[in-house]
């Protein structure tokens, strides 16, 4: 990575000097299908780029960006430059610029195995080759020479030569074809990171969206091997519902012509908002039975990316400091559009319980940052695609809607688009239009919510008289920065049918350390007080003693799904904060999760319960806690409605938590058909879910896994097999997995991820103990040698978090002290992992103390 890291100051200087009039990019991808690998170096393709640009100061110098194994020729204003003199591997020096300039760069660029740049994938099922590009934040320079920063927008024309029988797509519609060469329509002015090419023998389905005089051609794309599973009709349904809503509320027609959506292999992200050519991870095409939560996640992603057509593509942040201007809005709009326009009308429940958990974790790390972050360079930018920029930002926007009103918020968005179309903006551009339409002081709101870090906790304090009536209900706010919160406070009581229902609600503006909610005085004493009812603001919810006691016995009886999800979220935060013993959280899950109706919340509870046992439970109770969860899962599995999504969810939870010989025998029986649970269909994906714990506990061997791969000889099957192989309980297996990831770069990004996931098994702490020292010895070299995506995956994934002992903290601190000059992004990842481990140790101490007291 050295030399590839563009700084904010460099970008600012270049933007002051240059303006770009247009790109013509010519790519020859014929080499993608060559059977022989090159004798030396990576497999490459030819890339010829012509850039027309102007310089504000003739005679000045600047540079273009390109990461490529070799450059054949560089011409500036007709003047041939010596590539060896002007190209250093990541930049092309440009001296003596004229007022108007033409730069032509002829390069050999490398195909990628890491999901960055031009990714090349060979399908093990049929040998077909598939290509796609992925650039954010700055990997377009791996495919063509450019000025790689978001505020140097320009129109693009792509010309692509591809192997015979292939299809090719780009941002613009195909204009002409001559033999194997396609030429695509010029785009509107866009940033480098959202240009795109997809090429290969893909399966392609088409449709059309119409609204008045507007017609948008629609396409949906996947590998041929997934075509039989591809429910394109549902993708198109959600797409049309999204376009209907966004055209109605934004009052600005979709500006990029066609709208293709490609589901591609080995994708690092959920999706990418390339205008006219959105890319998604192909795991959103479901090979087996999934729950409605999976369909909701896919629909949310479709709508998130569609919102980016306006927030991010039409109007783009000037620099990555204001990444939130697109990601927070898209994250908010994804859930907003689900509720307003689709069948997923409970999406705010998912947001409260799932999405915000990501934000709460990120906001309590030592690397927490304001939503408007200080992004010094591209490495900072890469790491800031995090829970704060996405989920906290979205939660704060939800609070903003409550603060200024829905119509003022949407009118502000409409004016923002019209004033800044095809341009770049900063925070001030948005605040000024919101202040104009709402009449609110947006500067103070921004200072409190966008320009400070951390999460507040809100706790109710209830005082009642002898007659059982509230004399005062106050909300106490904790946190380093006390913020203004628009909240709803709900009072709940047990109804005659045993359900816990709300009987009173008041909205209030919480400010400062203590706020009295006068409107609730005189109400009967509640069994439960829920601050932030309806999830209007971003905070951690705390409970008074009475409310907590009520939840221990009646949590499953909370009638409203959103209120129930908020209670579960609050209890998980108490566990993570070492204010509730992990065994108590597990007991709550065992007692009440079986009554959870929202399957997405149930899946989250399962993940949290496993995390509680793995990371937050005292070591001497961990095994017992695992057995308790597995027994609960098996009981609920047998009680669940046959064939229901709840039954499927409990089956997966049972497999994930299986611990006893009896558990393993049942899983083996379900695999070979000798055991049966009424209504449970053990499809291929569920088979792999069952095989992973069996492999991790030595109940199946390499031969069984090879046979399963023969049964499922697909890209997905290969990933599952690699994960299972690395999970086996053998020192030699762990050594092999370590070498495959650390000592070699032969694995693709997807197989690196699978190997790490398989290697790190909670039941194998002793086997993994020996890798702590090697981890700290190798991470700085890995950071220097690998692409940033792979380096991030390895540094995060192989941190010895299962070595939950103060000695691991000491080893981490020693590395940090000895490597103060290490790249800040690398140090950030290590600090974050250390913080997670320290939090786990505090939780284990809390749980051990509770266990000793019983």
């Amino acid at each position: 990575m050295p030399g590839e890291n563009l700084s904010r100051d460099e970008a600012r200087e270049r933007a002051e000097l240059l303006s770009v009039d247009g790109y013509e990019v010519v790519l020859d991808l014929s080499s993608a299908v060559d059977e022989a690998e090159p004798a030396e170096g990576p497999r490459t393709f030819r890339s010829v780029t012509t850039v027309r640009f102007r310089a504000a100061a003739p005679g000045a110098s600047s540079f273009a960006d390109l990461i490529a194994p070799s450059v054949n020729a560089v011409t500036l204003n007709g003047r041939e430059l010596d590539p060896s003199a002007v190209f250093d591997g990541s930049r092309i020096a440009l001296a003596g610029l004229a007022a108007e300039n033409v730069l032509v760069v002829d390069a050999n660029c490398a195909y990628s195995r890491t999901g960055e740049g031009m990714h090349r994938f060979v399908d093990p099922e049929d040998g077909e080759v598939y290509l796609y590009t992925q650039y954010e934040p700055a990997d377009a320079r791996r495919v063509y020479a450019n000025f790689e920063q978001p505020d140097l927008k320009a129109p693009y024309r792509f010309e692509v030569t591809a192997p015979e029988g292939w299809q090719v797509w780009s941002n613009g519609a195909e204009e002409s074809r001559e033999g194997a060469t396609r030429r695509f329509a010029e785009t509107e002015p866009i940033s480098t990171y959202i240009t795109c090419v997809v090429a290969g023998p893909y399966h392609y389905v088409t449709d059309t969206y119409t609204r008045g005089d507007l017609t948008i051609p629609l396409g949906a794309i996947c590998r041929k091997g997934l075509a039989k599973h591809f429910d394109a009709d549902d993708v198109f349904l959600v797409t049309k519902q999204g376009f209907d809503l966004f055209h109605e509320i934004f009052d600005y027609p979709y500006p990029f012509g066609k709208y293709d959506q490609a589901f591609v292999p080995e994708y690092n992200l959920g999706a990418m908002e390339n205008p006219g050519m959105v890319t998604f991870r192909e795991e959103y095409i479901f090979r087996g039975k999934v729950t409605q939560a999976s369909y909701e996640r896919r629909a949310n992603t479709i709508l998130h990316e569609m919102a980016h057509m306006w927030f991010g593509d039409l109007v783009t942040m000037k620099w990555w400091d204001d990444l939130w201007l697109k990601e927070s809005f898209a994250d908010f709009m994804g859930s907003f559009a689900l509720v307003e326009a689709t069948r997923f009308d409970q999406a705010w429940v998912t947001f409260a319980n799932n999405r915000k958990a990501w934000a709460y974790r990120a906001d309590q790390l030592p690397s927490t940052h304001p939503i408007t972050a200080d992004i010094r360079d591209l490495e900072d930018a890469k790491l800031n695609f995090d829970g704060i920029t996405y989920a906290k930002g979205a939660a704060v926007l939800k609070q903003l809607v409550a603060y200024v009103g829905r119509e003022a918020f949407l009118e502000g968005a409409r004016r923002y688009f019209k004033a800044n179309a095809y341009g770049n903006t900063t925070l001030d551009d948005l605040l000024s239009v919101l202040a104009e339409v709402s009449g609110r002081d947006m500067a103070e709101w921004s200072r409190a919510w966008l320009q400070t870090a951390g999460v507040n906790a809100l706790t109710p304090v209830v005082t009642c008289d002898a007659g059982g009536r509230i004399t005062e209900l106050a909300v106490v706010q904790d946190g380093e920065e006390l913020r203004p919160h628009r909240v709803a406070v709900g009072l709940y009581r047990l109804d005659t049918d045993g359900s816990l229902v709300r009987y009173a609600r008041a909205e209030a503006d919480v400010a400062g350390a203590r706020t009295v909610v006068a409107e609730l005085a005189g109400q009967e004493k509640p069994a439960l007080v829920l601050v932030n009812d309806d999830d209007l603001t971003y905070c951690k919810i705390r409970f008074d003693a009475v409310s907590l006691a009520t939840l221990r016995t009646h949590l499953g009886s909370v009638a409203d799904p959103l209120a129930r999800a908020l209670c579960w979220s609050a209890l998980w935060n108490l566990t993570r904060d070492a204010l509730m013993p992990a065994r108590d959280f597990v007991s709550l899950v065992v007692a009440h999760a079986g009554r959870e109706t929202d399957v997405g919340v149930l899946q989250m509870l399962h993940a949290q319960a496993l995390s509680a046992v793995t990371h937050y439970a005292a070591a001497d109770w961990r095994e017992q806690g695992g057995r308790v969860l597995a027994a609960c899962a098996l009981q609920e599995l047998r009680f669940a409605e046959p064939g229901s999504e709840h039954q499927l969810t409990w089956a997966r939870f049972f497999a994930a938590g299986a611990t006893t010989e009896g558990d393993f025998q049942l899983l083996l029986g379900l695999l070979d058909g000798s055991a049966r649970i009424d209504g449970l269909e053990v499809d291929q994906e569920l088979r792999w879910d069952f095989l992973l714990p069996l492999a991790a506990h030595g109940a199946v061997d390499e031969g069984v896994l090879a046979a399963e791969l023969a049964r499922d000889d697909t890209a997905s099957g290969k990933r599952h097999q690699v994960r299972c192989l690395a999970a086996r309980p053998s020192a030699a297996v762990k050594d092999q997995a370590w070498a495959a990831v650390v000592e070699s770069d032969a694995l693709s990004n997807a197989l690196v991820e699978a190997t790490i996931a398989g290697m790190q098994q909670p039941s194998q702490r002793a086997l993994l103990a020996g890798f702590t020292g090697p981890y700290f010895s190798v991470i700085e070299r890995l950071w220097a040698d690998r692409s940033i995506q792979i380096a991030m995956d390895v540094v995060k994934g192989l941190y010895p978090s299962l070595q939950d002992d103060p000695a691991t903290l000491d080893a981490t601190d020693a590395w940090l002290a000895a490597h103060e000059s290490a790249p800040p992004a690398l140090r950030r990842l290590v600090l974050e992992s250390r913080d997670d481990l320290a939090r786990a140790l505090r939780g284990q101490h809390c749980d051990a103390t509770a266990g000793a007291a019983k």
Side-chain angles (χ1 to χ4, degrees):
M1 288 181 282
E4 300 176 12
N5 196 14
L6 179 72
S7 74
R8 178 176 51 202
D9 290 341
E10 288 175 314
R12 182 186 300 118
E13 291 173 6
R14 187 162 63 175
E16 290 172 352
L17 176 65
L18 305 182
S19 54
V20 187
D21 296 317
Y23 287 84
E24 296 169 14
V25 180
V26 179
L27 305 176
D28 185 348
L29 305 178
S30 305
S31 59
V33 295
D34 289 348
E35 292 186 8
E37 292 292 335
E40 293 184 3
R43 181 188 294 260
T44 62
F45 59 93
R46 190 178 179 196
S47 168
V48 180
T49 306
T50 302
V51 193
R52 292 174 170 80
F53 64 99
R54 286 165 284 133
S61 298
S62 189
F63 60 92
D65 300 295
L66 176 68
I67 298 174
S70 62
V71 172
N72 303 315
V74 179
T75 303
L76 178 63
N77 299 328
R79 195 171 77 249
E80 292 187 7
L81 308 180
D82 179 2
S84 64
V86 299
F87 178 59
D88 66 1
S90 61
R91 295 182 179 185
I92 300 170
L94 304 175
L97 295 175
E100 296 185 357
N101 301 272
V102 178
L103 172 67
V104 181
V105 179
D106 183 342
N108 297 315
C109 295
Y111 294 104
S112 165
R113 295 293 312 284
T114 67
E116 302 153 295
M118 180 70 73
H119 188 79
R120 179 179 180 270
F121 172 79
V122 181
D123 192 334
E125 189 172 1
D126 55 17
E128 296 280 18
V129 176
Y130 294 89
L131 305 177
Y132 64 85
T133 60
Q134 171 56 36
Y135 298 148
E136 191 172 40
D139 285 318
R141 56 192 171 151
R142 296 182 185 274
V143 174
Y144 62 91
N146 60 57
F147 301 113
E148 187 86 273
Q149 58 191 78
D151 58 344
L152 287 177
K153 299 174 87 169
Y156 289 79
R157 283 189 177 275
F158 281 89
E159 177 182 304
V160 181
T161 299
E164 183 179 354
W166 276 27
Q167 298 200 70
V168 183
W169 298 267
S170 187
N171 303 91
E174 183 178 315
E175 276 191 334
S176 66
R177 184 181 304 193
E178 184 177 341
T181 300
R182 282 90 160 172
R183 295 178 180 85
F184 296 91
E186 185 175 70
T187 70
E188 298 290 350
I190 57 177
S191 301
T192 54
Y193 74 90
I194 49 176
T195 58
C196 184
V197 170
V198 174
Y202 284 94
H203 173 70
Y204 186 43
V205 185
T206 61
D207 202 340
T208 303
Y209 171 81
T210 57
R211 181 183 178 88
D213 295 332
L214 178 66
T215 298
I216 304 173
L218 305 178
I221 302 162
C222 71
R223 286 187 296 115
K224 289 191 298 184
L226 287 174
K228 62 187 176 184
H229 304 293
F230 194 20
D231 52 340
D233 287 348
D234 193 53
V235 171
F236 287 139
L237 172 63
V238 174
T239 300
K240 293 175 183 179
Q241 290 170 332
F243 271 133
D244 275 342
L245 178 68
F246 291 147
H247 281 108
E248 177 183 340
I249 64 176
F250 291 161
D251 191 32
Y252 195 107
Y254 171 70
F256 298 111
K258 70 179 180 71
Y259 199 75
D260 287 320
Q261 297 175 95
F263 295 79
V264 297
E266 299 190 324
Y267 204 55
N268 287 323
L269 311 177
M272 187 65 210
E273 67 267 19
N274 314 305
M277 187 65 260
V278 183
T279 43
F280 298 82
R281 64 187 302 117
E282 69 178 16
E283 285 78 3
Y284 282 126
I285 297 174
F286 307 119
R287 300 197 315 149
K289 183 178 179 180
V290 296
T291 68
Q292 282 302 302
S294 295
Y295 288 102
E296 180 184 322
R297 278 191 291 273
R298 182 176 71 183
N300 184 296
T301 305
I302 289 170
L303 296 170
H304 175 118
E305 302 310 320
M306 185 180 289
H308 273 311
M309 300 301 120
W310 289 267
F311 286 108
D313 294 357
L314 177 67
V315 184
T316 311
M317 70 274 156
K318 189 174 184 65
W319 176 248
W320 301 103
D321 291 345
D322 285 309
L323 175 62
W324 80 280
L325 279 173
K326 72 183 189 79
E327 293 303 347
S328 299
F329 274 88
D331 217 50
F332 170 77
M333 280 295 169
S335 295
F336 179 90
L338 281 177
V339 172
E340 297 280 329
T342 77
R343 65 188 184 272
F344 304 107
D345 56 3
Q346 296 298 304
W348 287 125
V349 175
T350 306
F351 182 81
N353 183 256
N354 187 312
R355 203 65 174 169
K356 288 176 77 173
W358 183 25
Y360 294 139
R361 174 188 175 270
D363 215 7
Q364 295 174 88
L365 290 169
S367 57
T368 186
H369 56 85
I371 294 172
T372 53
D374 179 23
I375 304 299
R376 297 160 296 186
D377 54 36
L378 290 176
E379 287 190 8
D380 278 358
K382 184 73 172 178
L383 267 64
N384 264 44
F385 289 83
D386 60 12
I388 294 173
T389 301
Y390 283 72
K392 180 182 178 178
V396 167
L397 289 177
K398 192 168 188 276
Q399 195 267 354
L400 176 62
V401 172
Y403 180 64
V404 303
R406 171 187 165 120
E407 185 49 40
F409 175 78
L410 293 175
E411 177 60 23
R414 290 189 282 267
R415 296 187 187 186
Y416 176 72
F417 299 144
K418 290 171 183 174
N420 300 290
Y422 305 112
N424 296 87
T425 58
T426 64
L427 169 64
D428 290 341
D429 297 302
L430 180 65
L431 293 183
S432 62
V433 73
L434 286 173
E436 178 184 310
V437 297
S438 70
R440 292 275 199 169
D441 179 4
M442 296 308 302
E444 180 58 28
W445 178 88
S446 171
R447 189 203 65 76
W449 282 105
L450 302 180
Q451 296 167 300
T452 60
V455 57
N456 301 119
L458 301 183
T459 307
V461 179
V462 185
T463 306
C464 296
D465 60 21
R469 295 281 170 177
I470 295 175
T471 56
E472 182 183 85
L473 192 154
V475 177
V476 174
Q477 178 177 191
D478 295 315
E480 292 185 12
E481 174 75 23
L482 301 184
R483 299 181 177 87
H485 296 264
R486 182 69 178 174
V487 301
V489 180
L491 306 183
Y492 290 74
R493 64 186 171 202
L494 284 168
D495 210 348
T496 54
D497 64 358
S499 59
L500 202 56
V501 297
R502 187 170 69 192
Y503 65 90
R505 176 187 183 275
E507 288 195 19
D509 290 317
V510 170
R514 189 173 189 275
T515 301
V516 174
V517 185
E519 188 177 335
L520 294 176
Q523 294 286 346
E524 68 179 80
K525 183 178 180 179
L528 167 67
V529 180
L530 185 58
V531 296
N532 197 30
D533 207 353
D534 299 322
D535 198 33
L536 299 184
T537 193
Y538 171 76
C539 69
K540 290 194 291 188
I541 297 170
R542 302 300 197 206
F543 300 109
D544 64 299
V546 171
S547 297
L548 189 55
T550 297
L551 291 174
R552 289 184 187 276
T553 54
H554 298 287
L555 175 53
S557 302
V558 176
D560 180 70
L562 178 56
R564 196 169 59 246
L566 289 168
C567 291
W568 278 118
S569 175
L571 292 166
W572 178 239
N573 278 322
L574 288 173
T575 306
R576 290 190 73 249
D577 292 346
L579 298 174
M580 172 177 279
R583 65 191 68 198
D584 286 10
F585 184 81
V586 168
S587 295
L588 284 162
V589 170
V590 170
H592 301 293
R595 299 183 62 186
E596 181 53 58
T597 58
D598 187 299
V599 74
V601 173
L602 181 61
Q603 290 169 346
M604 192 69 171
L605 292 177
H606 289 167
Q608 290 168 344
L610 290 172
S611 181
V613 169
T614 300
H615 297 294
Y616 300 104
D620 61 2
W621 187 79
R622 195 177 287 144
E623 184 176 341
Q624 179 184 343
R627 289 197 303 269
V628 166
L629 285 179
C632 166
L634 182 56
Q635 175 179 293
E636 296 293 345
L637 170 59
R638 296 191 185 281
F639 286 166
E641 179 184 347
S644 68
E645 60 181 3
H646 278 67
Q647 183 189 54
L648 176 62
T649 299
W650 283 108
R652 287 183 172 142
F653 183 46
F654 170 67
T659 58
T660 69
E661 184 61 30
D663 296 340
F664 303 141
Q665 288 303 313
L666 177 56
L667 292 175
L668 288 167
L670 290 169
L671 285 168
D672 66 19
S674 62
R676 187 173 179 274
I677 294 176
D678 187 27
L680 183 66
E681 179 187 351
V682 184
D683 60 26
Q684 187 60 64
E685 285 297 296
L686 194 56
R687 290 182 66 84
W688 285 116
D689 287 339
F690 289 176
L691 282 165
L692 179 61
L694 291 170
H697 289 86
V700 296
D701 60 17
E702 186 175 0
V704 172
L705 299 176
E708 196 67 28
L709 180 62
R711 174 191 179 110
D712 182 26
D713 192 12
T714 65
S716 297
K718 182 61 178 177
R719 288 196 299 275
H720 285 305
Q721 188 221 20
V722 166
R723 186 178 298 112
C724 290
L725 287 172
R728 291 171 296 156
S730 154
V733 164
K734 300 307 173 186
D735 288 340
Q736 291 166 7
W738 174 271
V741 170
V742 173
E743 304 303 334
S744 168
D745 63 357
L747 293 180
S748 70
N749 54 324
L751 295 185
V752 166
E753 180 183 349
T755 302
I756 292 172
M759 181 178 175
Q760 298 282 65
Q761 294 298 312
S763 61
Q764 298 170 359
R765 282 174 161 84
L767 272 177
L768 297 169
F771 293 101
T772 300
Y775 171 86
F776 289 111
S777 298
V778 78
I779 55 175
E780 193 166 27
R781 172 176 64 80
L782 278 171
W783 194 264
D785 292 347
R786 303 291 180 89
S787 75
I788 190 169
Q789 181 64 53
I790 297 297
M792 287 170 58
D793 291 344
V794 174
V795 171
K796 289 190 293 185
L798 291 183
Y799 181 83
S801 59
L802 292 172
Q803 306 309 309
D804 39 11
D805 183 279
T808 309
L809 291 183
D810 293 341
T812 309
D813 291 338
W815 185 89
L816 289 165
H819 295 82
E820 292 185 356
S821 61
L826 171 58
R827 286 180 56 86
R828 170 177 167 169
L829 292 176
V830 175
L831 279 165
E832 289 177 349
S833 296
R834 183 204 185 280
D835 191 75
D836 282 338
L837 178 56
R839 179 179 290 272
L841 291 173
R842 292 194 296 271
Q844 291 173 25
H845 177 73
C846 170
D847 191 60
T849 301
K854 291 183 178 178

